[in-house]
Amino acid sequence: MLSKKEIKDIQSLGLKKQREERGLFVAEGPKIVWELASEFPQQVQQMYALSSWQPPISLPSGQLTIITETELSRISQLQTPNEVLAVFHQFPHQPPQDFRFALYLDTIQDPGNLGTIIRIADWFAVEAIVCSRHCADMYNPKVVQSSMASIGRMPVYYDEQENWLQKQNKPVFAATLHGRSLRTIDKIEEGILIIGNESKGIRPELIELADQQITIDRIGKAESLNAAVASGILLSHLLGR
Amino acid sequence: MLSKKEIKDIQSLGLKKQREERGLFVAEGPKIVWELASEFPQQVQQMYALSSWQPPISLPSGQLTIITETELSRISQLQTPNEVLAVFHQFPHQPPQDFRFALYLDTIQDPGNLGTIIRIADWFAVEAIVCSRHCADMYNPKVVQSSMASIGRMPVYYDEQENWLQKQNKPVFAATLHGRSLRTIDKIEEGILIIGNESKGIRPELIELADQQITIDRIGKAESLNAAVASGILLSHLLGR
């Protein structure tokens, strides 16, 4: 049975401050827990699962706690808790070195968008993601769920000083609504692509750092594209062909 | 002041059955209400707004009800209600006729994905979306919010008999994980693109109807792409160049 302290400790990982202080994060549900634990077994801190759940790896003694549905619903952040919740150690992400292509995210605030962009970047083998200071926290439970296990594979670095972009020596592309048509741009070998905030776009001071503004051609009438969808279209075009 | 019956009538539009019976749907927040009301004024049934709100069009007498924040929070489906809620008449969507390019959605169940796909389709001037029977309801509040005003511009038809695809005389493309590489496929002039369920993909009986399976080339390691992101990448490639 879980102690009150254990329940409180797990619940508190819903807060960014607590996650940072303890260097931990939570993933929930059989699919993502299975994938993360298989690929990054050394990151597992503790798993909490119903007796029906089968772990993907043989866990060291004491690392799996069998709990009841009531206990799971108390520690879960999901509306419908799903069989297993695991606490992982955060990944050791450093500023990217020697990359060919990286994404720079300017104030992506929706956790679902950030998680989806991490997954897209992993699909297209982007080597690193750099987040501006006010992006959503990558260990927010909604980011973790929507990134799937890509959260472990994709190096994500927070540019707290907001000076990382200035120090790079690579072509910088900015996704804007009034740039050069994507269809006139070829596959690129190296660079940094800036994706902007869901409603405000990229801040002007960052657009100024770009060598080229790129625009996804609009044929119809929608006012904008979702930030994650735009990232997917741009990366597919620039890297995927 | 809103009567109990009015409050109940609006709240009940959260349910698909009620929306269908009454031919109505709800949109919330200044941006989408403004866009829908400006572009489709004849669809407005009733607006409920705080006194601070400025309507985009001059509304016929009685069509705007000024309410308090407490009343707004009672009729709102949002966690943080936002200034205005409007009830609209549903759009008269028929089976598509004489289209060049349409999307067929097989069991897209996540409302956010459906709304985002409607918005993407509007961006790329897809002429119609046909939904299989078990897709999310297009008038689900989460679909409306994520589609933005594209919900009014994009004809969406529900294929309740699930026989629409068989009756078409156009090239059919299916987005799968094991088809022909997208990079080997040119811009197309006409056709139907099938997008499958978030976790199960396209049902085999629908894949059989396809002339061509298409796959977005994976360079990295993510297991899959989000259905809306995949739709965006495919439509940009097939229609946007």
Side-chain angles (χ1 to χ4, degrees):
Chain A
M1 209 177 110
L2 293 181
S3 71
K4 275 189 185 170
K5 180 172 184 312
E6 280 176 291
I7 292 173
K8 203 177 144 208
D9 280 353
I10 300 166
Q11 285 173 340
S12 71
L13 291 175
L15 303 170
K16 181 180 174 188
K17 190 160 177 289
Q18 282 290 319
R19 290 193 295 270
E20 278 181 358
E21 279 179 20
R22 294 158 62 198
L24 298 172
F25 72 99
V26 166
E28 294 201 53
K31 188 168 157 57
I32 186 166
V33 169
W34 185 288
E35 283 186 21
L36 280 175
S38 317
E39 199 164 337
F40 309 101
Q42 72 289 359
Q43 301 301 119
V44 177
Q45 194 240 25
Q46 187 67 30
M47 295 198 177
Y48 303 88
L50 305 182
S51 56
S52 57
W53 188 66
Q54 295 290 333
I57 50 170
S58 60
L59 292 162
S61 159
Q63 219 175 53
L64 174 62
T65 305
I66 300 299
I67 58 175
T68 64
E69 291 202 27
T70 311
E71 287 174 318
L72 181 59
S73 71
R74 289 193 65 188
I75 59 175
S76 174
Q77 307 266 348
L78 301 178
Q79 284 190 335
T80 44
N82 192 356
E83 222 179 350
V84 57
L85 178 154
V87 178
F88 291 92
H89 296 284
Q90 295 187 1
F91 296 93
H93 294 319
Q94 304 295 325
Q97 306 284 348
D98 299 327
F99 65 91
R100 285 186 314 118
F101 191 89
L103 272 183
Y104 190 93
L105 305 183
D106 181 22
T107 322
I108 294 288
Q109 292 181 307
D110 179 85
N113 277 345
L114 178 55
T116 304
I117 291 173
I118 292 172
R119 187 168 152 203
I120 296 166
D122 186 26
W123 178 280
F124 287 113
V126 168
E127 282 133 295
I129 294 178
V130 178
C131 290
S132 73
R133 196 190 321 179
H134 296 294
C135 281
D137 176 32
M138 68 178 284
Y139 294 115
N140 175 306
K142 286 182 188 164
V143 176
V144 175
Q145 296 305 122
S146 52
S147 77
M148 308 300 294
S150 296
I151 194 113
R153 286 187 291 261
M154 179 56 50
V156 180
Y157 169 67
Y158 282 79
D159 178 24
E160 294 292 346
Q161 307 301 320
E162 303 224 324
N163 61 1
W164 179 85
L165 208 46
Q166 287 86 331
K167 294 187 287 182
Q168 306 309 309
N169 190 17
K170 289 241 186 311
V172 174
F173 303 87
T176 70
L177 286 170
H178 308 288
R180 187 167 149 192
S181 159
L182 184 60
R183 75 180 86 176
T184 68
I185 294 175
D186 280 338
K187 179 170 172 166
I188 61 175
E189 295 304 325
E190 62 161 23
I192 298 160
L193 173 64
I194 314 177
I195 303 289
N197 174 264
E198 290 87 348
S199 58
K200 294 178 193 153
I202 303 173
R203 283 172 288 170
E205 61 267 35
L206 296 185
I207 292 182
E208 276 180 24
L209 298 174
D211 300 285
Q212 179 101 72
Q213 294 184 44
I214 312 180
T215 297
I216 300 167
D217 305 280
R218 168 166 55 189
I219 316 171
K221 293 185 174 169
E223 194 189 277
S224 65
L225 288 168
N226 166 287
V229 172
S231 303
I233 293 171
L234 290 163
L235 292 178
S236 172
H237 188 97
L238 297 174
L239 304 178
R241 298 188 305 171
Chain B
M1 207 179 109
L2 293 181
S3 70
K4 275 191 186 169
K5 181 174 181 311
E6 279 177 292
I7 292 173
K8 203 178 144 206
D9 279 353
I10 300 165
Q11 285 174 339
S12 71
L13 291 175
L15 303 171
K16 181 180 173 188
K17 190 159 177 290
Q18 283 290 318
R19 290 193 296 269
E20 277 182 358
E21 280 179 20
R22 293 157 62 199
L24 299 171
F25 72 99
V26 166
E28 293 200 56
K31 188 168 158 58
I32 185 165
V33 169
W34 185 288
E35 284 187 20
L36 280 175
S38 317
E39 198 165 338
F40 310 101
Q42 72 289 357
Q43 301 302 120
V44 176
Q45 194 239 24
Q46 188 67 29
M47 293 197 178
Y48 303 88
L50 305 183
S51 55
S52 57
W53 188 66
Q54 294 291 332
I57 51 171
S58 60
L59 292 163
S61 160
Q63 219 174 54
L64 174 62
T65 307
I66 301 299
I67 57 175
T68 64
E69 292 203 25
T70 311
E71 287 174 317
L72 180 60
S73 71
R74 288 192 67 186
I75 59 174
S76 173
Q77 306 267 345
L78 300 179
Q79 284 190 334
T80 45
N82 192 356
E83 222 178 350
V84 56
L85 178 153
V87 178
F88 291 92
H89 296 284
Q90 295 188 1
F91 296 92
H93 294 319
Q94 305 295 324
Q97 307 282 349
D98 299 326
F99 63 92
R100 284 186 314 117
F101 191 89
L103 271 184
Y104 190 93
L105 305 182
D106 181 23
T107 323
I108 293 290
Q109 292 181 307
D110 179 85
N113 277 344
L114 178 56
T116 305
I117 291 173
I118 291 172
R119 186 168 153 205
I120 296 167
D122 186 25
W123 179 279
F124 287 112
V126 168
E127 282 134 295
I129 293 177
V130 177
C131 290
S132 73
R133 195 189 325 178
H134 297 294
C135 281
D137 177 31
M138 68 179 283
Y139 295 114
N140 176 306
K142 286 184 189 165
V143 176
V144 176
Q145 296 306 121
S146 52
S147 78
M148 309 301 293
S150 296
I151 195 117
R153 286 187 291 262
M154 179 55 51
V156 179
Y157 169 67
Y158 281 78
D159 179 24
E160 294 292 346
Q161 308 300 321
E162 303 225 322
N163 60 3
W164 180 85
L165 207 46
Q166 287 86 332
K167 294 187 285 182
Q168 305 309 310
N169 191 17
K170 288 241 187 310
V172 174
F173 303 87
T176 69
L177 287 171
H178 308 287
R180 191 168 146 189
S181 159
L182 184 59
R183 77 179 85 176
T184 69
I185 294 175
D186 280 338
K187 180 170 171 167
I188 60 174
E189 295 304 325
E190 63 162 23
I192 299 159
L193 173 63
I194 313 176
I195 302 288
N197 173 263
E198 290 87 349
S199 58
K200 293 179 193 152
I202 303 172
R203 283 172 289 170
E205 60 266 37
L206 296 184
I207 293 183
E208 275 180 24
L209 298 174
D211 300 285
Q212 180 99 71
Q213 294 184 44
I214 311 180
T215 298
I216 299 167
D217 304 280
R218 168 167 54 190
I219 315 171
K221 292 185 174 171
E223 195 190 275
S224 65
L225 288 168
N226 166 287
V229 172
S231 302
I233 293 171
L234 290 163
L235 292 178
S236 172
H237 187 98
L238 297 175
L239 304 179
R241 296 189 305 170

